[in-house]
Amino acid sequence: MEFKSVLLDEKAIQRTLTRVAHEIIEKNKGIEDIILVGIKRRGVPIAKRIALLIEQIEGTKIAVSSVDITLYRDDLSSINEQPVLNNAELGIDVRGKKIILVDDVLYTGRTARAAIDAIIASGRPQMIQLAVLVDRGHRELPIRADYVGKNIPTSGKEMISVELLEIDEIDSVSIYEI
């Protein structure tokens, strides 16, 4: 893997997530009945950051949960053909709520679909929206994000790497040549 460039640094990620938080508030006409559900791993800290930003803007806390879909990454096709759900229990009642699924990178759409299936298996939400830090294209399923931090068109020979302070001790979005 060969490093190409840094696409977002710490400040750019903060600005991007602030914009996404404002878009969530505007599109939902406030934050009533909203639950953010982060897809483990990096979707969880992103969801927590967005929740904190929404709290700072609106003055009200919103619930954050997570869903664990592992043994699969869209950019590493040798791991598994389909996403595997490790944790079907969200620990939160989704019935009648507006669920905003949060992930770091949207690629083929398979991981988002598996997370949507897990949410629906937990109850029937009013709606499910998708927020991603990066949309890199190459969808294989009819999945699109409602909130996109940055669109980064890539080739099949490129990989987007998201590093977050909570996991990687740095905030950065980079592109690599495979």
Side-chain angles (χ1 to χ4, degrees):
M1 221 169 27
E2 181 183 329
F3 174 79
K4 287 180 81 174
S5 68
V6 173
L7 304 170
L8 297 172
D9 62 11
E10 181 178 356
K11 287 185 179 183
I13 290 172
Q14 178 65 26
R15 283 190 305 270
T16 299
L17 294 180
T18 301
R19 179 178 46 78
V20 168
H22 280 283
E23 289 175 4
I24 288 169
I25 295 165
E26 288 176 24
K27 184 171 183 171
N28 291 286
K29 298 175 178 69
I31 57 169
E32 190 173 323
D33 292 328
I34 288 180
I35 300 172
L36 297 179
V37 178
I39 298 176
K40 287 187 178 177
R41 277 193 73 200
R42 288 172 180 79
V44 176
I46 293 170
K48 288 178 180 176
R49 289 185 193 189
I50 292 171
L52 183 60
L53 289 163
I54 289 173
E55 181 182 351
Q56 291 169 355
I57 297 163
E58 292 289 298
T60 306
K61 284 189 176 213
I62 62 172
V64 179
S65 186
S66 64
V67 62
D68 187 1
I69 296 165
T70 56
L71 301 178
Y72 179 86
R73 292 234 342 245
D74 288 333
D75 55 353
L76 299 174
S77 59
S78 63
I79 293 178
N80 199 346
E81 190 65 27
Q82 293 294 326
V84 175
L85 176 64
N86 275 349
N87 177 14
E89 184 56 48
L90 298 175
I92 200 157
D93 186 8
V94 300
R95 290 175 293 184
K97 305 290 189 206
K98 295 176 184 175
I99 304 301
I100 301 175
L101 192 58
V102 181
D103 204 4
D104 58 346
V105 178
L106 179 58
Y107 185 33
T108 64
R110 294 181 186 281
T111 301
R113 181 185 159 248
I116 290 168
D117 288 346
I119 291 167
I120 292 171
S122 296
R124 184 176 178 166
Q126 178 185 338
M127 70 172 56
I128 299 174
Q129 300 172 354
L130 178 60
V132 296
L133 180 59
V134 174
D135 184 344
R136 62 171 287 193
H138 303 280
R139 218 74 74 243
E140 294 176 4
L141 298 172
I143 303 267
R144 69 164 177 76
D146 299 276
Y147 312 99
V148 177
K150 185 147 180 87
N151 283 296
I152 302 174
T154 61
S155 76
K157 295 180 180 179
E158 292 173 318
M159 184 182 96
I160 299 292
S161 173
V162 175
E163 295 175 298
L164 298 174
L165 199 58
E166 297 88 339
I167 297 169
D168 309 295
E169 299 178 4
I170 187 172
D171 276 345
S172 171
V173 176
S174 302
I175 189 165
Y176 290 84
E177 189 80 31
I178 299 174

